[in-house]
Amino acid sequence: MTPGASPVTRSSGEIPDRAAAAGGNHGAGMDVGKAAALHIALADWRRRSTWVDMVMLALRVSLLVLVSAGLLLSLAHNEYSAADWLSFAVFGLTLGSIYALISLGYTMVYGVLRMINFAHGDVFMAGAFGALIVADPLIATGSLFAVLALIAVGAATSAAIAALIERVAYRPFRHRGTLAPLICAIGVSFVLQYTVRGFFGTGSRAYHDIPVLDGVVILGPLQVPLVQLFVILAALLAMGALHLLVQHTRLGASMRAVAEDRETAALMGINADRVVTFTFLIGGVMAGTAGVLYALVFKQIHAFMGFAIGIKGFAAAVLGGIGNIPGAMVGGFVLGLAESFGPAALLSGFGIPAPYQLKDAIAYGLLVIILIFRPQGIFGERLAVKRM
Amino acid sequence: MTGVSTLLSVHDVDVHYGQICAVRGASLDVAEGEVVTLIGANGAGKSSLINAICRLRPCGEGHIRFRGQDLRALRADELPGLGLVQVPEGRRVFGRLTVMENLRLGAFCRKAARDELETDLAAVLDLFPRLAERRDQAAGTLSGGEQQMLAIGRGLMAKPAMLLLDEPSMGLAPRIIDVIYGAIAAIAAKGVSLLIVEQNAFLALELARRAFVMEAGTITLSGPAASLVDDERVRAAYLG
Ligand SMILES: Nc1ncnc2c1ncn2[C@@H]1O[C@H](COP(=O)(O)OP(=O)(O)O)[C@@H](O)[C@H]1O
Ligand SMILES: [Mg+2]
């Protein structure tokens, strides 16, 4: 697919670039004049690169200038205190936890099927609503255990829906080699959105206040909402569990084997369909967990929220290198932190009023920037091309 | 072969890739505990036939039976559980998994107890001591010979009644090929039936009791390996 294929072609311009730079350094160390060596290297690079490489280089340089200028100006402005920056960091990690959990579903499904599950954002949304059904009686008990039960219900809802989607909407079309799965994903996405709207209405809904998560924790000059710490902790636990599952169980090994070479995995007796179902299930568990955590932090959920947040999760997966599990986790946190730091750190210096309104511009700007510098994502390999 | 039961029997199998017919009317059989080789030039259709047996490729009419059971009704992933295991051409180890993870995946089809698996792992590492030295290394970083050892070891972890080895000597140095064939002989000596596919047929013919020769998708010759070694046509084509 495109995210895999493009890096290889696009990055080709970089190699002569680097080779030339290395040649330049080498020449400087020898008797040949530094300037002459540089001149030769430059001429060599010009000869080897196309206008696309030139444009990319110009883009990279201007981006670097813009970002550094924004950063320096903002720092000079000195508008925010140290405590402000710390609270941005905690909020960024909170947001990042949620993005990271969502992005895992995209990346695992891509790893196993080389397909983007565009309904995944709505799987996330459905988890938040699944928990809403049981939220009142659970929250009424007032215990922390009830919050965990809420997460479990959300996770189970999303997992069941994700596995169902795979079974009825993707599997029948898997070997057809057409756009059918993509169209199905979009269809499923609408079905989920309008089903939830039918049951819960168009407006925003919320869980009742949960007293155990209400307070703030005071860390030196910093007041951190307890719920944010809870969300970060819960997400880290979920990701730790996922890591153990993928790296240290037979099921996890079979999943990695199918991702790498489906046919040979079959020769080992691994049923790829089972592995695919399992992949959707755990992707759903992560998304449902994210859905409940999101509802706890932002205190409002609605039927159409899955689209925008799902795209962010997808962006996080691409950022980390799609198909790469640790990459998705890191990508989520990078995106969350960028969104929370970016407006203050990059925009306030330019004197832009209400920079926080532009947080999405920062988030997607970051995505574009990272992909310009590193088309394969942070952890992605050059060899992201389909191996079949 | 009287008195020995047939383990694998393939009768009149065709394999197509779209319009291209890669295998036409192929028949062969392997008895319990027997070593058989299938030789033929590059592109003759050997891998296609092996993959049809393993249900990775659809086949036309005809039948494929293993212990009398028709394999055509089964999926590829159901065969290792029956004791029929392929060691594929080009090794196809899982490059990002470690050597030990690859070996353990070989036993995926078994519901064996932990001790039993550990015993079998120890036996494989005994057969290929090089793998023991590299146990926690990603399989993709092994040399070609080591990857072949791993692919065979992984196949053995399934406790197969029969191994299909697709070009186990492909691309390896003569010294490594000797090591690999030494191990294959040891596996045969334990009573595992073998179907060895080879282009460079000398070692395979030496080890095998019977041989089949494939040319352009059809099996053109078959008989005791010893007599094929002396056959003019075989000598000219495959033994150099
Ligand atoms: N996936 C494929 N698609 C189309 N043709 C194929 C495919 N695999 C093999 N073939 C063709 O089938 C014939 C037999 O190939 P193969 O079974 O690999 O031969 P061998 O293993 O004897 O070298 C060749 O002509 C080859 O080009
Ligand atoms: Mg072959």
Side-chain angles (χ1 to χ4, degrees):
Chain A
M1 280 184 126
T2 24
S6 55
V8 177
T9 43
R10 258 205 248 157
S11 59
S12 60
E14 222 176 37
I15 296 151
D17 189 347
R18 292 224 179 105
N25 287 339
H26 203 66
M30 300 197 297
D31 272 342
V32 190
K34 197 175 180 177
L38 210 71
H39 186 76
I40 294 170
L42 206 66
D44 195 43
W45 179 76
R46 281 240 284 278
R47 188 171 49 75
R48 286 205 240 171
S49 39
T50 63
W51 65 270
V52 178
D53 301 321
M54 306 279 184
V55 171
M56 289 302 282
L57 184 72
L59 212 56
R60 286 172 196 200
V61 171
S62 42
L63 273 173
L64 271 182
V65 170
L66 206 64
V67 168
S68 346
L71 203 59
L72 288 175
L73 284 172
S74 303
L75 288 180
H77 237 70
N78 207 9
E79 196 175 311
Y80 300 95
S81 66
D84 284 338
W85 290 111
L86 280 173
S87 73
F88 287 154
V90 175
F91 182 66
L93 291 175
T94 309
L95 207 55
S97 306
I98 292 167
Y99 294 157
L101 287 174
I102 299 172
S103 71
L104 285 165
Y106 284 105
T107 228
M108 287 190 299
V109 166
Y110 181 85
V112 170
L113 287 181
R114 299 293 184 275
M115 166 200 133
I116 307 294
N117 174 13
F118 278 110
H120 191 62
D122 300 293
V123 170
F124 152 83
M125 176 275 294
F129 277 93
L132 180 65
I133 298 174
V134 295
D136 282 353
L138 275 178
I139 290 170
T141 66
S143 73
L144 192 62
F145 173 76
V147 181
L148 298 181
L150 212 56
I151 293 175
V153 172
T157 310
S158 291
I161 288 177
L164 188 72
I165 293 174
E166 190 275 324
R167 189 69 191 79
V168 303
Y170 299 155
R171 192 176 297 182
F173 303 102
R174 204 184 292 153
H175 302 292
R176 301 283 166 83
T178 63
L179 284 178
L182 178 66
I183 306 295
C184 275
I186 294 169
V188 164
S189 173
F190 281 125
V191 168
L192 287 174
Q193 289 172 14
Y194 285 91
T195 308
V196 170
R197 190 185 76 158
F199 280 104
F200 298 93
T202 338
S204 287
R205 302 286 302 264
Y207 306 160
H208 281 294
D209 263 354
I210 301 173
V212 272
L213 291 179
D214 246 359
V216 291
V217 179
I218 294 169
L219 299 169
L222 190 65
Q223 293 194 345
V224 182
L226 183 59
V227 64
Q228 295 191 8
L229 292 183
F230 174 79
V231 165
I232 296 171
L233 188 70
L236 288 178
L237 283 176
M239 288 187 266
L242 177 77
H243 176 82
L244 287 182
L245 182 70
V246 171
Q247 291 298 327
H248 297 286
T249 66
R250 205 169 92 107
L251 210 56
S254 69
M255 191 174 143
R256 286 179 289 144
V258 170
E260 209 174 299
D261 184 343
R262 200 189 175 98
E263 275 198 348
T264 307
L267 291 179
M268 307 293 104
I270 298 168
N271 181 341
D273 282 342
R274 275 236 199 88
V275 169
V276 168
T277 301
F278 168 71
T279 305
F280 274 81
L281 276 175
I282 51 179
V285 165
M286 295 294 139
T289 305
V292 177
L293 295 181
Y294 178 89
L296 293 179
V297 178
F298 292 93
K299 308 229 190 295
Q300 52 176 332
I301 56 178
H302 59 93
F304 300 102
M305 70 178 187
F307 178 73
I309 299 166
I311 294 283
K312 293 251 178 75
F314 173 58
V318 173
L319 212 52
I322 190 131
N324 183 307
I325 290 178
M329 299 179 186
V330 172
F333 284 111
V334 168
L335 197 65
L337 287 170
E339 215 175 272
S340 110
F341 274 122
L346 298 179
L347 297 181
S348 64
F350 291 121
I352 293 171
Y356 203 70
Q357 297 289 323
L358 289 173
K359 67 180 173 44
D360 286 352
I362 290 280
Y364 290 112
L366 176 84
L367 180 68
V368 172
I369 290 174
I370 290 198
L371 292 182
I372 284 174
F373 283 95
R374 223 182 132 70
Q376 69 274 37
I378 300 169
F379 282 67
E381 293 160 37
R382 278 274 152 79
L383 272 173
V385 191
K386 202 167 169 175
R387 230 198 85 156
M388 277 189 187
Chain B
M1 275 191 302
T2 41
V4 188
S5 62
T6 305
L7 192 58
L8 175 74
S9 101
V10 175
H11 183 73
D12 201 17
V13 163
D14 296 346
V15 180
H16 294 269
Y17 297 99
Q19 299 296 313
I20 305 164
C21 180
V23 176
R24 192 187 304 272
S27 302
L28 59 78
D29 60 284
V30 181
E32 201 95 50
E34 194 183 26
V35 179
V36 170
T37 181
L38 173 64
I39 59 183
N42 189 19
K46 308 178 297 294
S47 298
S48 301
L49 179 57
I50 293 285
N51 286 334
I53 294 171
C54 290
R55 311 303 305 127
L56 289 177
R57 293 271 161 273
C59 57
E61 298 301 303
H63 74 236
I64 302 170
R65 295 218 175 96
F66 185 72
R67 289 184 167 136
Q69 183 175 5
D70 192 354
L71 298 188
R72 295 198 312 160
L74 302 177
R75 289 189 317 268
D77 57 83
E78 293 173 309
L79 304 190
L82 300 178
L84 179 61
V85 173
Q86 182 188 164
V87 178
E89 179 179 289
R91 344 206 197 280
R92 306 271 288 259
V93 295
F94 299 110
R96 294 179 193 185
L97 275 60
T98 65
V99 168
M100 285 311 260
E101 284 175 329
N102 269 276
L103 289 175
R104 286 184 195 281
L105 272 182
F108 190 86
C109 60
R110 291 167 60 191
K111 288 174 197 65
R114 207 191 178 86
D115 309 350
E116 205 183 324
L117 285 184
E118 295 305 318
T119 315
D120 293 342
L121 265 176
V124 167
L125 295 180
D126 215 38
L127 185 64
F128 297 116
R130 287 279 274 281
L131 295 182
E133 292 164 30
R134 308 251 184 286
R135 55 197 302 152
D136 295 318
Q137 205 169 314
T141 65
L142 299 181
S143 72
E146 288 161 352
Q147 289 192 7
Q148 188 63 58
M149 295 175 196
L150 180 55
I152 294 175
R154 186 180 62 177
L156 285 177
M157 286 303 294
K159 272 236 160 130
M162 174 165 191
L163 267 184
L164 308 173
L165 298 159
D166 197 347
E167 302 209 27
S169 70
M170 186 198 243
L172 301 182
R175 193 172 45 84
I176 306 292
I177 295 180
D178 286 343
V179 175
I180 298 287
Y181 265 85
I184 294 175
I187 295 165
K190 289 213 179 92
V192 179
S193 303
L194 300 177
L195 177 58
I196 309 173
V197 172
E198 277 291 2
Q199 274 186 61
N200 302 318
F202 191 73
L203 283 169
L205 281 173
E206 212 169 53
L207 192 63
R209 211 170 74 92
R210 286 186 306 132
F212 294 83
V213 178
M214 195 166 203
E215 284 171 295
T218 48
I219 290 183
T220 50
L221 264 177
S222 65
S227 72
L228 284 187
V229 175
D230 297 328
D231 189 286
E232 283 303 320
R233 286 168 295 174
V234 174
R235 290 198 84 90
Y238 310 109
L239 299 175

